[in-house]
Amino acid sequence: GWETGGGAELAPQIESESDGLSFPNPVAMLVGSVLSGLDWFYRTKVEYAPSSAIALQLWTRATQLPAAKVALRAQLEATTTFTRKLVDPRANSKFETDQKQGQEQGQGVAERRTLADLVRTLKVDYGVRRVYAWHALAGYWAGISSNQSSPLAMLCAPVVQGMPKPSPALRSIEPAIQWDGLAAAGIGVVPPLAMLCA
């Protein structure tokens, strides 16, 4: 779903310098109310609506407006990880932890298994030149960063940034694909032929 913080959190207080009194910021209250209303509309009229529903069709058209795309991307960046792009090829700590293999069966053997071990085995034992792994090819994450200063940009072929164009059939089955993280932020990919040359 499309999540908002609700109106209350979006209404910062303004302090009067003369008397120390504080009162709600009326603009922030208005924006918070609008966001709360949109959240209600989405959750009650759009989220589980059939593809023929007028509310869904209105929402879909509204999310394609330039101002809505900017607001949607800002919302997704603030509340999810779906617009983040990969910037470093090194495995993070969740892929580099000790796994106790065999201890469940009472063998008492502890063996370190990491993503680095797997890549090393593929290269040394099987002659694989390059290993590319992406755990969400179609992505909920926004692919690879094209930032030239990132460690990843220095290692691989040029990254192409693109906006997904889901087919009409996919849009009818999963309408939210038109306003999810990839629709808002695009996706960065290395073209397959460029990977062969890298």
Side-chain angles (χ1 to χ4, degrees), residues 36-73:
S36 291
L38 287 172
D39 183 52
W40 171 85
F41 181 76
Y42 181 83
R43 291 181 191 280
T44 61
K45 307 294 182 195
V46 176
E47 190 168 22
Y48 300 108
S51 61
S52 61
I54 293 172
L56 178 61
Q57 293 171 13
L58 287 171
W59 182 268
T60 300
R61 287 201 172 106
T63 60
Q64 302 310 306
L65 297 171
K69 284 187 173 200
V70 170
L72 185 58
R73 182 172 180 167

Side-chain angles (χ1 to χ4, degrees), residues 88-177:
D88 196 330
R90 294 170 290 200
N92 62 23
S93 61
K94 68 181 169 184
F95 294 103
E96 299 293 331
T97 58
D98 287 334
Q99 303 270 328
K100 305 281 186 200
Q101 185 180 37
Q103 285 193 338
E104 301 84 43
Q105 292 90 13
Q107 297 169 353
V109 178
E111 187 177 341
R112 185 167 172 84
R113 292 278 199 205
T114 66
L115 182 60
D117 294 334
L118 173 63
V119 170
R120 191 175 312 106
T121 299
L122 290 172
K123 288 182 173 186
V124 173
D125 295 350
Y126 299 101
V128 174
R129 202 169 130 219
R130 293 207 185 272
V131 176
Y132 288 90
W134 188 247
H135 51 85
L137 288 177
Y140 273 106
W141 296 275
I144 301 170
S145 173
S146 59
N147 181 343
Q148 295 302 314
S149 63
S150 76
L152 188 59
M154 296 175 201
L155 291 177
C156 67
V159 174
V160 176
Q161 296 294 326
M163 298 302 287
K165 293 178 177 65
S167 70
L170 185 56
R171 290 193 310 261
S172 71
I173 294 168
E174 183 56 51
I177 201 166

